[in-house]
Amino acid sequence: MLAALLATLSHAEPVVVEVRQSEQGWQLYRGGAPYFIKGAGGQDRLDELVAAGGNSIRTWGADGLDELLDAAHKRGLTVTLGIWLGHERHGFDYSDPAQVAAQLAKAREHVLHYKDHPALLMWGIGNEMEGFEDGGNPVIWKAVNDIAAMVKELDPNHPTMTVTAEIGGQRIASLNQYGTAIDIHGINAYGGAASLPERYRAAGGVKPYLLTEFGPVGSWEIPPTSWGAPPELTSRQKAEFYRNTYEKAVVGAPGLALGSYAFIWGFKMEATETWFGMFLPDGSRLPVVDTMTELWSGQPPADRAPDIEPLELSGSAEVEPGTTVEVALRTSDPEGGPLTVRFALRPESGEYATGGDSRPRLPDIDGAILRSDVTGSTVRMPHTPGGYRLFAYVYDAAGNAATANVPLRVLGDATAAGPRLPIAVYDNGLEGMPWVPSGWMGDMGALSLEPTEEGCYDGSECLRMGFDQASGWGGIAWQNPPNNWGEQEGGLDVTGARALEFWARGEKGGERISVGVGLLGRDVAHPDSVRVSKDDLILRSTWKQYRIRLRKRADLTSVKTGFFVTIPGQGGDVIVYLDRIRFVE
């Protein structure tokens, strides 16, 4: 089958895509005809995207996309194919010639492999690789432009684009100065997206732009509560935010905007499990799908998602431990049909940065919901001080849903009681997962980490980690705070733990990994208080529990690297699965 697929691709005829400029401005052409991108980021639910009037999808990376490109082409969809470039916050060093050369070589492989596929629309070279501060490091921009120049040499049939986090700092000036081989400025924008055309022109933008991510106002853009939790819009409010952005920054900028990709055609746990995503994990469509269907196709769907108003508390959002809270819900179905509702109380994630790293979903707190129906809920708050969030999910009979939530706080000193074991690094069944898989190491371009619902040991979700390079190595460290390589204080006190336990399996069996707790030595300002590792584990194809023992007198007061796993190259793709990673007595 693989040989047949490769033979098909090798004889595929590319569809020529061009960016043309006229007196009316910029216009994208595909196969000689004008082409306006009505797209969404993601790789799933392609039939639903077509039914909604969409015509394109965007990926962030280029690994293993043969089937996706074929599936898109079969449905008449195009693909903006992302080439992932390293981020300094993940440890990539653009001043290291070896890393930069390896990244360029990897990009070259992707271009040679996919350049003639008829579904290919353009190349997205990097996503927010410029960072989140000034965004003007010329070393980074040179590396990006070198890849773009290589792409244009190998594939003159498709435009090049790079994607930045908004347009502030030196982003536009740097792209103008260094991005000579880049045709299109891809821009990820959220809260300020509607004003993008005016701001882009005022900042001196000279290239056409593509709105490569847009959605609700970001969690980092909303003033938080006194305990640091940003309030979230309801799903109906978010849908109107998408509409306003699309009308003003996309179709409202003819000759400048080449189209857009809504974020995200699927589900993503970031900040909360409902903040981003046009669908729920069970596939239910949220109101933004209705809105984008109308904007793309000109007609709303026949059966629309429920309406929902912000949740209303009967008293304060800050309560004493164990307090019972009453919450009112106002919701209705546009077609007048019956609705069902589910409430869930979860710990507050506490992570609202702009990096976009996917996080494991937080578990429901058992026994917290005492009563719930379409009018509201009665909730018993936990006895443990700290931040929580109450979620409401409303469903109709046609597969549509609506969401709203409210942040809550249990008063008291959350640190006074000391650590409570078990403490999860990753686990669907326990409260709190404070370490973040932000420490990417080794050959980072060959690494992947994503939640999956397929073949998990416990619960509905586990982690799938991959390394697709034949030699070398790659690894990921779970860090507190995120991206902490010893320059920051932090870490958790896990005193009393006797081991870190985790479950793992390989895709095929026989895969080798090394694991451990603590990476930061005394050569950094803020080291891990303990360091222990277990090398060369050989995984089975079935789940097995592993245990990293901690010394009886080990100092566990500041564990900044809660867990790390490295995978050496083993001659081909290596896929491992991880679940229930936690410190135990």
Side-chain angles (χ1 to χ4, degrees):
M1 178 178 288
L2 178 59
L5 175 61
L6 292 176
T8 299
L9 291 178
S10 66
H11 292 89
E13 288 293 331
V15 179
V16 176
V17 181
E18 304 170 275
V19 179
R20 301 180 189 173
Q21 187 178 21
S22 68
E23 292 182 357
Q24 287 73 42
W26 298 96
Q27 173 71 60
L28 194 67
Y29 284 79
R30 180 173 184 265
Y35 190 86
F36 192 75
I37 299 171
K38 302 176 181 179
Q43 303 183 21
D44 301 315
R45 308 186 184 281
L46 300 187
D47 290 332
E48 290 175 89
L49 181 63
V50 172
N55 64 7
S56 189
I57 59 173
R58 176 199 173 199
T59 75
W60 286 259
D63 294 316
L65 297 184
D66 294 302
E67 291 185 6
L68 176 66
L69 285 163
D70 290 344
H73 182 56
K74 180 180 178 181
R75 293 163 174 80
L77 297 170
T78 62
V79 179
T80 286
L81 198 149
I83 297 177
W84 183 261
L85 302 186
H87 289 204
E88 289 183 312
R89 66 190 179 87
H90 288 152
F92 194 94
D93 185 359
Y94 278 90
S95 64
D96 182 346
Q99 289 190 44
V100 172
Q103 180 169 258
L104 188 145
K106 184 72 173 179
R108 181 183 180 89
E109 292 177 10
H110 291 317
V111 174
L112 290 172
H113 187 74
Y114 296 116
K115 67 184 182 68
D116 293 330
H117 200 290
L120 178 63
L121 182 65
M122 70 177 71
W123 299 97
I125 302 168
N127 182 80
E128 300 184 354
M129 69 286 132
E130 82 284 1
F132 303 111
E133 300 300 330
D134 179 75
N137 186 342
V139 176
I140 295 177
W141 284 103
K142 181 182 184 304
V144 173
N145 196 66
D146 286 347
I147 292 176
M150 176 272 296
V151 172
K152 293 182 90 60
E153 180 181 352
L154 296 178
D155 179 16
N157 295 316
H158 300 96
T160 57
M161 174 180 69
T162 194
V163 178
T164 64
E166 260 283 354
I167 59 171
Q170 296 300 308
R171 286 167 176 81
I172 290 180
S174 296
L175 187 56
N176 290 347
Q177 180 177 355
Y178 302 108
T180 55
I182 296 168
D183 301 311
I184 301 165
H185 189 169
I187 302 169
N188 296 341
Y190 289 87
S195 64
L196 188 59
E198 295 80 10
R199 293 188 292 114
Y200 187 76
R201 293 186 180 101
V206 297
K207 300 177 187 288
Y209 74 68
L210 183 60
L211 190 54
T212 40
E213 287 182 21
F214 74 100
V217 58
S219 57
W220 59 92
E221 298 173 307
I222 290 184
T225 63
S226 61
W227 60 95
E232 181 177 339
L233 302 180
T234 69
S235 56
R236 177 59 60 192
Q237 292 170 327
K238 292 176 189 176
E240 291 309 310
F241 211 93
Y242 278 83
R243 180 188 297 277
N244 188 52
T245 293
Y246 190 82
E247 290 178 344
K248 292 183 178 179
V250 184
V251 295
L256 181 60
L258 303 180
S260 64
Y261 289 97
F263 188 84
I264 181 172
W265 194 257
F267 161 81
K268 185 181 184 185
M269 168 64 198
E270 182 182 343
T272 75
E273 75 163 44
T274 57
W275 202 294
F276 300 99
M278 302 167 77
F279 296 80
L280 293 180
D282 63 7
S284 298
R285 297 176 295 274
L286 292 167
V288 65
V289 176
D290 298 350
T291 297
M292 294 313 302
T293 298
E294 181 179 354
L295 292 170
W296 287 334
S297 70
Q299 295 291 331
D303 196 305
R304 293 169 293 160
D307 287 313
I308 193 169
E309 299 293 328
L311 299 178
E312 295 182 0
L313 299 174
S314 60
S316 173
E318 298 182 82
V319 298
E320 295 294 332
T323 298
T324 297
V325 175
E326 295 290 337
V327 182
L329 169 66
R330 288 184 293 167
T331 185
S332 61
D333 183 67
E335 293 76 40
L339 298 173
T340 58
V341 64
R342 181 174 75 88
F343 281 85
L345 183 69
R346 302 189 182 107
E348 188 67 29
S349 74
E351 297 173 28
Y352 317 108
T354 57
D357 296 322
S358 185
R359 294 290 289 122
R361 293 164 61 190
L362 297 174
D364 296 0
I365 296 175
D366 292 337
I369 308 302
L370 303 180
R371 175 197 67 84
S372 67
D373 55 34
V374 293
T375 67
S377 178
T378 303
V379 184
R380 177 174 290 128
M381 297 302 293
H383 289 276
T384 303
Y388 298 87
R389 196 173 288 250
L390 179 67
F391 295 80
Y393 299 84
V394 177
Y395 304 88
D396 68 11
N400 302 304
T403 64
N405 66 61
V406 60
L408 303 167
R409 180 190 176 202
V410 173
L411 297 169
D413 184 356
T415 64
R420 295 181 300 163
L421 296 170
I423 299 174
V425 177
Y426 173 79
D427 193 329
N428 271 335
L430 295 174
E431 294 182 26
M433 286 170 273
W435 290 275
V436 180
S438 55
W440 290 46
M441 306 173 286
D443 300 313
M444 292 177 286
L447 274 173
S448 62
L449 181 71
E450 58 186 358
T452 180
E453 298 177 358
E454 299 297 326
C456 294
Y457 166 72
D458 185 40
S460 61
E461 188 176 273
C462 55
L463 295 176
R464 182 183 187 271
M465 180 176 174
F467 185 73
D468 66 0
Q469 193 159 286
S471 59
W473 69 279
I476 299 176
W478 276 252
Q479 300 170 313
N480 179 289
N483 310 303
N484 185 11
W485 294 101
E487 303 90 353
Q488 308 173 65
E489 295 182 356
L492 268 74
D493 183 355
V494 297
T495 299
R498 294 290 177 260
L500 182 136
E501 292 181 345
F502 66 99
W503 289 80
R505 70 176 180 89
E507 178 91 342
K508 302 174 183 177
E511 294 85 350
R512 290 182 291 114
I513 64 172
S514 295
V515 297
V517 174
L519 272 177
L520 307 176
R522 298 296 171 183
D523 58 329
V524 299
H526 304 285
D528 279 295
S529 61
V530 66
R531 295 172 67 194
V532 59
S533 62
K534 203 176 186 75
D535 298 328
D536 293 324
L537 294 179
I538 300 177
L539 302 181
R540 304 173 180 175
S541 61
T542 55
W543 287 100
K544 178 182 176 181
Q545 188 180 53
Y546 297 87
R547 188 177 177 91
I548 302 172
R549 295 188 180 278
L550 304 173
R551 298 188 308 275
K552 190 172 184 179
R553 292 182 175 82
D555 181 358
L556 303 178
T557 57
S558 183
V559 180
K560 300 173 180 68
T561 312
F563 180 65
F564 67 86
V565 55
T566 62
I567 303 176
Q570 295 163 53
D573 289 358
V574 180
I575 304 294
V576 301
Y577 296 85
L578 303 165
D579 206 353
R580 298 198 72 180
I581 309 168
R582 55 186 189 167
F583 289 93
V584 298
E585 296 182 11

